[in-house]
Amino acid sequence: RDSGSGIRRSRAPPPRGTMTAIGDLLGRLRAYAFLAMMTYVALFTLFLFAAIQPIALVDRRAHRSLGSWLLRVCVPGFLLPPAMAGLKIQVDKDQWQMMLRARLETLLHIVMCNHGSRVDWLLALMCGYTHNPIRVSFLTEGPMQFLPIVGWFRKLCEDIFVWRSFKGDKGRIDANIGSFKQTRTPRAIFLAIEGAIVDHGAFDVAYINDCRQFCESLGYAPFEYLLTPRYKGVHTLAQHAGTHLYCATVAFEQGGKMLNCKLTDPGRVVPDLYSVLRRGTNVTVHFSKLVVGADQNEAKRQCMDNYKYRDELLAHYDAHGCFPGGLRYDALPWQWPSRVSSFVAQVLLGHALASAAGMPLLVAKTLVALFCLLGACHTAGELLSGESRESIPFETIFKSYAYAGRDRKLLAKAKKAEGSPDNVAEAITETVSETAKMFSLMTKFPAN
């Protein structure tokens, strides 16, 4: 009340900064809750895959058939939280029919995506388990297999983990694909052929400049939205895929703004699990075929031509809010019945098993523990590195350690070089080499 007047006055609204802080906190808690749900499903499925591992010693084909069936049952539950968070994928009808036909025509088809986000793999799962489901495997960086729960789970799913050395990786890729063909296990392999994600640090800027110079050395204008493709790996994969090699060019939007805009744009956002679970995200995917010849030099030119075309696609999307060609992109179905029933079934089955073991509160405690642990690790990693790098759970904290001091060392060496172009390039090369050397040490783990 106003003193002495008896008039009730409305309470002043909280300051705008306070409202923003509250909204950010609620968004963060929402993301961690969804992430805990996804991680629970991954943990549950990890136990199932561990239980069937002995079958692989007797009959690998039966093991993979059973594994594919388990994935078909469990993955929809994993995809429920992203759907609840509003992650929507839009595709052109004719292009989508082309992708569905590939699942029926061949045991293996390969999809290569531009690496504009840290959730490309999540989009692959959402596409792979829509309509005619197919087992989706990934070709990804080696350290991912060591990250808790999801990384371990994907290791048991027999994904292909590479270490950036083509000489060493080729044999691993050939052996994995050949083994699945031998057991006649249908699957799609998904990868991002740029092989790297760049944020906004000094190391990232140096890598972008390296890619731009590589374009110029081959007579191309520097790409504005994409890094350069790893053509040697593409050439190897193309020999396995034959005519079933596809490209997915992806544009991300939040609030009407394209997130994966120009690489040099300070407003560019690299979507990760945290950002897409925090608020709704619209994703538009343009599918196309890629033909790669048997000659490696020819493959190099074909990959660069393809990336030039896809860079132009993203430039058109950035300018006009759509891909060129006047195509109509419709949202894939949300599949609520299958996703909800899958998640609920895994929670109830987990509860039943825990209750039978005398631990009726285990599932609830697990979800709460995951919420707290994931939130603490992500927040700590974000504070340490200044970036959210959550492509799979626990990656932000891992990368904050792996990349510690990387930008500082690069800048110090560049400053020491006193502006000499040759010495600056040498400093950049040395820092890149140190990072690669750190990752190569991990190959000595028995899990590899």
Side-chain angles (χ1 to χ4, degrees):
R1 294 177 184 272
D2 189 19
S3 58
S5 67
I7 300 174
R8 185 179 295 276
R9 296 181 182 270
S10 62
R11 181 176 298 173
R16 184 174 180 82
T18 302
M19 295 298 293
T20 302
I22 293 173
D24 289 343
L25 176 61
L26 292 176
R28 185 175 289 268
L29 295 177
R30 161 185 148 128
Y32 294 156
F34 286 145
L35 195 55
M37 293 168 64
M38 295 173 71
T39 308
Y40 169 81
V41 173
L43 180 62
F44 184 85
T45 315
L46 170 66
F47 285 133
L48 294 180
F49 265 72
I52 68 171
Q53 279 302 107
I55 300 176
L57 302 176
V58 180
D59 189 334
R60 186 167 290 276
R61 182 174 182 177
H63 169 260
R64 286 175 175 160
S65 295
L66 180 56
S68 296
W69 180 81
L70 286 175
L71 289 171
R72 185 175 295 197
V73 171
C74 295
V75 168
F78 184 81
L79 299 177
L80 175 63
M84 293 172 65
L87 180 58
K88 181 173 68 174
I89 300 178
Q90 301 175 124
V91 297
D92 171 70
K93 181 180 178 181
D94 292 337
Q95 293 176 3
W96 182 243
Q97 289 301 318
M98 173 184 69
M99 300 306 297
L100 293 179
R101 283 195 300 272
R103 302 178 189 183
L104 302 174
E105 294 172 356
T106 180
L107 287 173
L108 171 69
H109 68 279
I110 297 176
V111 183
M112 301 182 298
C113 182
N114 58 300
H115 215 1
S117 83
R118 290 186 165 90
V119 290
D120 309 328
W121 66 275
L122 185 59
L123 307 182
L125 287 179
M126 296 184 82
C127 289
Y129 288 88
T130 297
H131 294 136
N132 180 27
I134 188 170
R135 181 173 183 150
V136 178
S137 295
F138 302 100
L139 192 152
T140 186
E141 58 180 327
M144 292 296 100
Q145 64 190 302
F146 302 118
L147 295 186
I149 304 179
V150 173
W152 302 337
F153 166 55
R154 293 313 311 182
K155 177 68 175 178
L156 292 185
C157 288
E158 300 182 85
D159 287 350
I160 305 172
F161 297 95
V162 296
W163 298 92
R164 317 243 181 218
S165 165
F166 175 72
K167 184 177 179 181
D169 290 340
K170 185 179 185 303
R172 189 177 297 112
I173 294 169
D174 290 342
N176 182 287
I177 294 176
S179 176
F180 268 81
K181 285 186 174 181
Q182 188 176 12
T183 58
R184 300 194 61 78
T185 306
R187 68 169 175 167
I189 294 179
F190 182 89
L191 71 150
I193 60 174
E194 292 159 60
I197 301 174
V198 289
D199 295 298
H200 295 283
F203 186 93
D204 305 297
V205 172
Y207 191 85
I208 292 171
N209 289 334
D210 283 348
C211 290
R212 295 173 69 88
Q213 291 170 16
F214 182 75
C215 288
E216 292 173 341
S217 71
L218 296 177
Y220 291 86
F223 299 152
E224 297 289 345
Y225 295 82
L226 302 171
L227 301 173
T228 49
R230 296 181 179 271
Y231 63 89
K232 292 181 180 179
V234 175
H235 176 259
T236 296
L237 292 169
Q239 310 316 304
H240 292 286
T243 59
H244 293 286
L245 186 64
Y246 301 91
C247 298
T249 306
V250 182
F252 291 82
E253 276 188 76
Q254 280 185 345
K257 181 185 182 302
M258 183 177 176
L259 301 182
N260 55 321
C261 50
K262 288 185 179 181
L263 295 172
T264 55
D265 190 330
R268 177 174 60 89
V269 175
V270 181
D272 68 346
L273 280 177
Y274 171 71
S275 62
V276 300
L277 294 175
R278 186 175 179 275
R279 59 180 299 193
T281 307
N282 291 332
V283 181
T284 305
V285 185
H286 182 283
F287 291 108
S288 58
K289 265 197 171 186
L290 173 61
V291 177
V292 175
D295 178 71
Q296 193 172 101
N297 288 326
E298 181 187 11
K300 181 179 181 179
R301 180 63 62 180
Q302 288 168 327
C303 286
M304 291 298 291
D305 287 343
N306 175 259
Y307 254 55
K308 176 178 179 293
Y309 164 68
R310 295 168 72 184
D311 195 68
E312 292 168 352
L313 285 179
L314 290 170
H316 189 281
Y317 195 100
D318 195 11
H320 304 284
C322 63
F323 287 121
L327 302 176
R328 177 179 172 179
Y329 292 83
D330 297 314
L332 291 178
W334 292 104
Q335 297 188 304
W336 294 116
S338 63
R339 291 174 179 175
V340 171
S341 60
S342 172
F343 181 81
V344 171
Q346 291 178 75
V347 170
L348 292 179
L349 183 55
H351 175 71
L353 293 173
S355 297
M359 298 177 286
L361 297 179
L362 181 61
V363 170
K365 289 180 178 179
T366 299
L367 285 167
V368 172
L370 287 172
F371 174 84
C372 297
L373 184 61
L374 290 163
C377 287
H378 175 263
T379 301
E382 197 175 23
L383 290 173
L384 288 171
S385 67
E387 298 281 355
S388 175
R389 296 185 171 99
E390 207 80 350
S391 61
I392 66 174
F394 303 108
E395 186 177 3
T396 298
I397 188 69
F398 167 75
K399 289 289 177 68
S400 70
Y401 168 75
Y403 294 167
R406 185 179 66 171
D407 289 344
R408 178 179 51 78
K409 290 177 183 177
L410 178 61
L411 291 171
K413 288 174 182 175
K415 184 177 181 181
K416 186 178 179 181
E418 296 180 346
S420 169
D422 292 337
N423 289 339
V424 172
E426 183 180 342
I428 292 171
T429 302
E430 185 180 347
T431 304
V432 172
S433 176
E434 285 181 3
T435 304
K437 194 180 297 181
M438 181 276 298
F439 278 125
S440 73
L441 293 175
M442 302 184 74
T443 63
K444 303 188 185 305
F445 281 81
N448 193 47

